[in-house]
Amino acid sequence: MNDEEETYKLWRIRKTVMQLCHDRGYLVTQDELDMSIGQFKQQFGDKPSEKRPSRADLIVLVAHNDDPTDQMFVFFPEEPKVGIKTIKQYCTRMQEENISKAILVVQTGMTPSAKQSLVDMAPKYILEQFLENELLLNITEHQLVPEHVIMTPEEKKELLDRYKLKEAQLPRIQQGDPVARYFGLKRGQVVKIVRPSETAGMYITYRIVV
């Protein structure tokens, strides 16, 4: 991949990452969300082959709108297949800055021991993994993907009470579903899915994350 293609790819990935953080309720400026390829080159460079930018330059740290102490890193490892040494370095940084959540944007994958370390560190440290190719496009903007709205615990309780339902009676969405991963949904959370309907204008369903 030449520098032009690689720069374009990194710009697209970082743009999706910013949208993902914003959609999870983290504070992201409009300038970050709207950053053009020209602005990206100006800020980070356009020669990835010469480490301008290096992936480490793209690191993101965001704070949540509702709770500024709820912060999250987004790391972009340099190595194509991430090993346990890199995970440990990230964990050390998270410890030093008192941050318990991070997303890793990996190029081709992770070694088995690195994957296992993510499991072992939870729930103290939550590290999610996305492949670069998964973030080239924002899945929630695809025309075939309906709008997903995450319900608060209060809204979930109100829904169950109103229809006299138990959690087990709700349709399910898997935690590994691409949209569930994009929003970082946890087991037990409920999403409202809004689809356009020719007859009713809108067709609403609810799903619980399992």
Side-chain angles (χ1 to χ4, degrees), residues 10-158:
L10 292 173
W11 166 69
R12 285 266 8 137
I13 291 164
R14 197 170 187 275
K15 196 174 178 77
T16 303
V17 161
M18 288 305 185
Q19 291 166 339
L20 178 151
C21 292
H22 175 265
D23 289 343
R24 289 188 182 194
Y26 288 91
L27 194 59
V28 177
T29 65
Q30 198 60 44
D31 287 349
E32 288 277 20
L33 292 171
D34 296 340
M35 185 181 281
S36 67
I37 181 77
Q39 290 166 327
F40 180 86
K41 287 176 177 178
Q42 212 173 349
Q43 184 171 340
F44 295 106
D46 58 2
K47 289 272 189 293
S49 60
E50 298 170 15
K51 299 278 186 237
R52 288 186 296 119
S54 72
R55 277 174 167 74
D57 295 334
L58 304 178
I59 287 177
V60 175
L61 175 60
V62 285
H64 204 279
N65 280 318
D66 300 332
D67 176 8
T69 64
D70 173 3
Q71 296 181 302
M72 180 172 74
F73 269 122
V74 184
F75 294 118
F76 298 80
E78 295 285 355
E79 57 192 334
K81 193 161 192 178
V82 177
I84 194 152
K85 188 179 166 194
T86 302
I87 302 291
K88 284 182 174 166
Q89 286 169 348
Y90 289 149
C91 263
T92 302
R93 180 158 180 193
M94 290 166 75
Q95 263 176 319
E96 286 168 354
E97 305 205 24
N98 203 21
I99 291 165
S100 61
K101 292 180 191 167
I103 288 174
L104 306 181
V105 181
V106 301
Q107 295 175 54
T108 61
M110 299 175 77
T111 64
S113 57
K115 272 187 186 168
Q116 185 55 44
S117 71
L118 301 193
V119 177
D120 295 343
M121 285 185 297
K124 190 176 181 190
Y125 294 103
I126 307 292
L127 282 86
E128 301 170 58
Q129 176 211 170
F130 286 87
L131 287 168
E132 286 188 350
N133 286 346
E134 293 179 295
L135 296 171
L136 282 169
L137 294 170
N138 183 335
I139 187 173
T140 65
E141 291 183 349
H142 193 288
Q143 62 185 35
L144 295 178
V145 175
E147 183 188 0
H148 286 61
V149 181
I150 299 141
M151 301 184 79
T152 64
E154 295 76 30
E155 289 168 336
K156 172 185 166 181
K157 183 179 182 308
E158 193 183 310

Side-chain angles (χ1 to χ4, degrees), residues 143-147 193-204:
Q143 62 185 35
L144 295 178
V145 175
E147 183 188 0
I193 300 170
V194 185
R195 289 181 173 84
S197 157
E198 286 179 16
T199 50
M202 259 189 332
Y203 173 60
I204 295 173

Side-chain angles (χ1 to χ4, degrees), residues 157-174:
K157 183 179 182 308
E158 193 183 310
L159 172 77
L160 295 174
D161 290 349
R162 191 188 328 147
Y163 295 108
K164 298 186 170 47
L165 292 171
K166 293 190 167 61
E167 283 192 8
Q169 292 171 288
L170 287 172
R172 298 169 177 193
I173 181 171
Q174 299 291 328

